[in-house]
């Protein structure tokens, strides 16, 4: 699959570039051997980049590889995924008969919006988020590499759109051990369309740079010998090199002009060199036009304007107003003069294009571009192609042009290319500064890449809108954008004001459509208000007496899910909270959003309703996998890890948490997400690795972390437990008390969310300061009594028992064991057994102590809480009991990600399927499986299932979306 077309149309013997060609070839050989690479080729216009690439693509090494070669152009600069389509277009993957192509298997099908000329033609248009398309293009490249090593060559990358560059960066960051070489060629004097994206690629550690400089005098002499049939004097070649600046394009044109003028390549011809001068290309073009009829210039100008667009040859005559016969005659003449490329209806080089367009004049050129846009629109070309011509027309676009720009923005959005959509919509807004829709649409395009600017546009849209019904969806969009930049207070203020106006306008009994609008604003207000401590009290007070919605619409289901969070935070009625959450999740034919699933699962877990909570999280994970919504997927995976930790399923929690951390390590937004690190640290402490946990927590750098309702308290709890495990009780207590104070300030009164008070009681008791724990324990016990679940009551009895001496303490610990044994909190049950056994041992009841310490050790080991299991065994031995050393099962040697990969493999998933479902590379899966086999002493994949099903570690079920993915093939 090779594409080695001559792109320039100019004579291009490769002279003076042997060393550069050798470097390129060596990189290709490395890629052929499985070592990925990136080469950035740069130099000024005409320096020979394209000729060097053409020679490279004709090399023997490239002939053994799959090569995709594309060129970016000024006319399509900034079009969403234009660079990607230049590369992958020759594969024909958007043809009607391409749906069954092996290249589009699995997640690679998500690449189609980027490749299709009309995104959304095959199914109802729906805006694609950026990540699914990036993810799909990555897998398309991987599928290509299964056929052999891959070379991607993109010329004139300074014209490349940002989304294509972001994909190349995305691909390269996952390219370790892939047989891949990416070669990018750019013009040094040109300002890139997407400078930041290109800079990110160049900064890649695998990047190598080749900078093409001027040709040496000897190289210029060699070029002169190719053109002149006479011997070339060194002085002549030296002068040509000086005047032409050693630039191959300029030198070649200069030599041709000199020969045409009859100059000789010796000392007598030197005086003619100065006459022709450095502006030889422009001069030669102008001279050609002066010698030919005007319709030749018109055809050349039309070709320059159309820029090699698809089917351009058929429309040159219409744009130039020249009959078809004369168009053909003009093209033949222009090809002979090396103005038009020999293999396509386009000019030979961008330098030639500039010369042709300069000759047309600014006013005539503006009119011609407007006519070109109208022509392309009339013949039904894609809106993006038409809009690219409109963007080059100076001044405000005409009304029909604005419609085209909006349509092009919609197409770019459907491709998952928000930067391109924003480029089109900015011109619309310039022409319609008071247009609400222009503000809103541009804000939508900028929400991902420039959220602060998007917020400003939405505020402007609200100011321009008088109708409160129209304000409502704008305010919701503003609020969701505010969440991404930690501006919840601004979101709450805006939504509150709009909701007040909406309720006043619509009255107590609005029409169904208006009622849904009110519900949408309320749910958005709850989502925004529950994010930060500064806004939680406001929304809690506002919704304290709101009647529960029926749950018959998406907005009502979302509002119900958010109301469960308030109920759960309040901590007074587990029964009401469970009822609300189940209603939010109950099947009713209404699609559930990810927020509804995640928040309902969270509150159900607080009430010990584990089965329903886990089912909701599985649905959320399926949503993330099916939509390639990686941020949501990672957040849900981290939440499930914390939930599994609370249930005492440490190996499964470790697998989820470590997978989440690994995924975020490859994402640009990974540094802004704290939950994966907090979840992994929480699990590692119970696994006996507090040092590693503390190092992970030290990597959390989210600004204003102490202002957030959820993350901050999980973070404080994890830090406190790590400090306590490392023997620093003083710091641990300070952190736990800080956590309690912050929760009280927030109004979060659920005893099972962050049971800091029970943890503090343990530290106080261990440090012989039980008397100081009274207020803390009384506070927690009262919260537990109000919530009333087995886990809450067990924690309350455990806290009191740990800080109470004698028989009373033993009685309370016995009560704790009874409650916790009836709860899903197995790790807390193991701790209660440990504390009861210890109390009995201190009371002289060795026999009773041994019974409970053995139960603690067995239960803790089955949970994977190795630190507690080892501590219980030591106490058991001290009580006169016997037990083997706690070493864990062989599975405990696996890292969390290794266990996750091994579990999916044991369930029947293939390596590619595992990689797609976990958002990692196939090579990563292979590496993890190799490590699994080594650690477990296995030789075959079929042995995994039996080894993973051990008595010491509960066998986790593969997530439901893995089976679903297998079913889809």
């Amino acid at each position: 699959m090779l594409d080695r077309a001559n792109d320039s149309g100019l004579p291009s013997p490769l002279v003076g570039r042997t060393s550069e060609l050798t470097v390129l070839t060596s990189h290709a050989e490395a890629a052929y051997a499985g070592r990925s690479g990136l080469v950035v080729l740069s130099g000024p216009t005409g320096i020979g980049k394209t000729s060097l690439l053409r020679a490279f693509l004709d090399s023997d090494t490239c002939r053994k590889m799959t090569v995709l070669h594309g060129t970016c152009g000024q006319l399509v600069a900034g079009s969403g995924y234009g660079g990607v389509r230049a590369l992958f277009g020759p594969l024909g993957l958007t043809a009607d008969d391409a749906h069954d192509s092996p290249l589009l298997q699995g997640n690679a099908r998500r690449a189609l919006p980027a490749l299709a000329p009309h995104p959304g033609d095959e199914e109802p248009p729906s805006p694609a988020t950026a990540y699914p398309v990036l993810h799909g293009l990555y897998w398309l490249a991987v599928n290509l590499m299964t056929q052999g090593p891959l070379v991607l060559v993109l010329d004139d990358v300074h014209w490349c759109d940002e989304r294509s560059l972001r994909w190349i960066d995305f691909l390269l960051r996952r390219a370790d051990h892939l047989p891949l070489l990416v070669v990018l060629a750019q013009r040094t004097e040109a300002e890139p369309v997407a400078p930041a994206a290109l800079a990110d690629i160049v900064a890649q550690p695998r990047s190598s740079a080749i900078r093409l400089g001027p040709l040496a005098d000897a190289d210029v002499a060699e070029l002169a010998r190719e053109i002149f049939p006479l011997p070339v004097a060194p002085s002549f070649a030296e002068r040509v090199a000086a005047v032409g600046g050693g630039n191959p394009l300029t030198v070649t044109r200069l030599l041709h002009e000199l020969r045409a003028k009859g100059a000789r390549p010796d000392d007598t011809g030197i005086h003619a060199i100065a006459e022709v001068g450095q502006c030889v290309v422009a001069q030669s073009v102008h001279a050609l036009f002066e010698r030919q009829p005007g319709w030749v210039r018109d055809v050349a100008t039309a070709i320059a304007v159309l820029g090699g667009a698809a089917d351009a040859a058929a429309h040159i005559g219409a744009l130039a107003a020249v009959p078809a016969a004369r168009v053909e005659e003009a093209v033949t003449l222009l090809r002979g003069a090396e103005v038009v490329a020999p293999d396509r209806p386009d000019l030979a080089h961008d330098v030639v294009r500039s010369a042709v367009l300069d000759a047309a004049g600014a006013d005539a050129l503006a009119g011609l571009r407007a006519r070109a846009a109208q022509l392309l629109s009339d013949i039904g070309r894609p809106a993006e192609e038409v809009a690219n011509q409109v963007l080059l027309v100076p001044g405000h676009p005409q009304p029909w042009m604005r419609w085209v720009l909006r349509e092009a923005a919609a197409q770019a959005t459907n491709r998952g290319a928000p930067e391109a959509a924003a480029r089109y919509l900015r011109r619309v807004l310039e022409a319609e500064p008071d247009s609400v829709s222009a503000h809103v649409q541009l804000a939508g395009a900028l929400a991902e890449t420039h959220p602060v600017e998007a917020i400003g546009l939405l505020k402007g849209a609200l100011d321009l809108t008088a109708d409160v019904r129209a304000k409502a969806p704008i305010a919701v969009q503003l609020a969701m954008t505010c969440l991404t930049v930690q501006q919840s207070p601004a979101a709450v203020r805006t939504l509150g004001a709009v909701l007040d106006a909406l309720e006043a306008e619509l009255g107590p009994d609005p029409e169904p459509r208006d009622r849904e609008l009110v519900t949408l604003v309320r749910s958005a207000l709850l989502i925004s208000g529950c994010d930060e401590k500064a806004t939680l009290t406001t929304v809690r007070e506002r919704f304290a007496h709101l009647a529960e919605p029926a749950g018959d619409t998406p907005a009502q289901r979302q509002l119900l899910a958010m109301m469960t969070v308030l109920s759960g935070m309040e901590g007074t009625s587990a029964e009401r909270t469970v009822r609300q959450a189940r209603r939010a999740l109950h099947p009713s034919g209404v699609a559930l959003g990810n927020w509804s699933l995640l928040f309902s699962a969270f509150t159900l877990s607080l009430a010990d309703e584990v089965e329903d909570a886990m089912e909701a999280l599985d649905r959320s994970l399926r949503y993330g996998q099916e939509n390639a919504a990686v941020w949501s997927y990672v957040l849900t995976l981290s939440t499930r890890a914390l939930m599994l930790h609370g249930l005492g399923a440490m190996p499964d929690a470790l697998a989820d948490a470590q997978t989440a951390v690994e995924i975020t390590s490859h994402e640009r937004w990974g540094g802004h997400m704290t939950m994966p690190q907090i979840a992994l640290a929480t699990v590692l402490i119970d696994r006996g690795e507090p040092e590693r946990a503390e190092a992970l927590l030290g990597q959390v750098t989210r600004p204003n972390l102490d202002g957030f309702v959820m993350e901050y308290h999980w973070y404080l709890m994890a830090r406190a437990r790590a400090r306590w495990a490392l023997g620093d009780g003083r710091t641990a207590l300070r952190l736990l008390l800080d956590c309690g104070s912050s929760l009280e300030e927030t109004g979060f009164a659920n005893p099972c969310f962050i049971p800091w008070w029970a943890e503090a009681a343990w530290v106080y008791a261990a440090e012989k300061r039980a008397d100081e724990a009274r207020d803390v324990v009384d506070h927690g016990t009262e919260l537990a009594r109000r919530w009333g679940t087995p886990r809450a009551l067990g924690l309350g009895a455990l806290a009191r028992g740990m800080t109470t001496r004698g028989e009373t303490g033993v009685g309370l610990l016995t009560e704790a064991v009874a409650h916790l044994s009836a709860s899903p909190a197995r790790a807390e049950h193991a701790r209660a057994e440990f504390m009861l056994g210890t109390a009995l041992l201190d009371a002289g009841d060795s026999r009773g102590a041994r019974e409970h310490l053995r139960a603690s050790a067995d239960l803790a080991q089955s949970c994977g809480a190795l630190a507690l299991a080892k501590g219980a065994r030591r106490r058991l031995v001290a009580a006169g009991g016997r037990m083997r050393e706690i070493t864990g099962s062989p599975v405990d040697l696996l890292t969390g990600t290794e266990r996750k990969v091994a579990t999916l493999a044991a369930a029947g998933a293939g390596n590619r399927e595992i990689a797609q479902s976990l958002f990692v590379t196939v090579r990563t899966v292979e590496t993890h499986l190799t490590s699994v086999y080594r650690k477990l002493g296995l030789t075959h994949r079929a042995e995994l299932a039996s080894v993973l099903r051990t008595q010491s570690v509960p066998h986790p079920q593969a997530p439901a979306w893995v089976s679903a993915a297998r079913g889809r093939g």
Side-chain angles (χ1 to χ4, degrees), residues 698-720:
Q699 297 172 14
V700 173
T701 58
R702 184 174 185 179
N704 306 315
L705 180 61
D706 59 351
F708 291 92
V709 174
M710 301 290 187
E711 296 101 315
Y712 180 56
H713 301 106
W714 269 316
Y715 170 77
L716 285 179
M717 186 70 158
R719 279 195 61 201

Side-chain angles (χ1 to χ4, degrees), residues 203-362:
Q204 290 249 3
R206 71 185 81 243
S207 173
S208 297
I210 298 178
R211 296 177 178 83
L212 295 183
L215 295 177
D217 293 351
D219 300 326
V220 173
E222 185 175 344
L223 283 176
R225 286 191 290 272
E226 294 281 342
I227 295 171
F228 285 91
L230 302 172
V232 177
S235 57
F236 178 86
E238 180 179 343
R239 186 59 182 159
V240 169
V243 172
N247 183 291
L249 175 63
T250 304
V251 165
T252 301
R253 282 282 183 174
L254 178 56
L255 290 171
H256 278 293
E257 286 295 311
L258 289 170
R259 182 179 178 184
K261 286 180 174 293
R264 298 173 60 84
D266 54 24
D267 291 342
T268 63
I270 290 178
H271 71 280
I273 297 174
E275 284 182 33
V276 177
Q278 291 181 319
C279 300
V280 62
V281 175
Q283 290 176 2
S284 65
V285 169
H286 292 169
L288 173 68
F289 289 165
E290 289 173 359
R291 297 193 302 268
Q292 300 297 333
W295 46 267
V296 173
R297 180 195 60 215
D298 294 341
V299 168
T301 307
I303 293 173
V305 168
L306 290 171
D311 302 327
H315 312 304
I316 293 170
L319 182 59
V322 174
R326 286 202 163 174
V327 169
E328 186 175 345
E329 182 181 349
V331 169
T332 300
L333 188 152
L334 291 166
R335 279 203 174 111
E338 298 174 354
V339 172
V340 169
D343 59 343
R344 64 192 190 283
D346 196 8
L347 299 185
H349 196 281
D350 277 347
V351 174
V352 178
R353 187 186 316 280
S354 296
V356 171
L357 294 177
D358 286 345

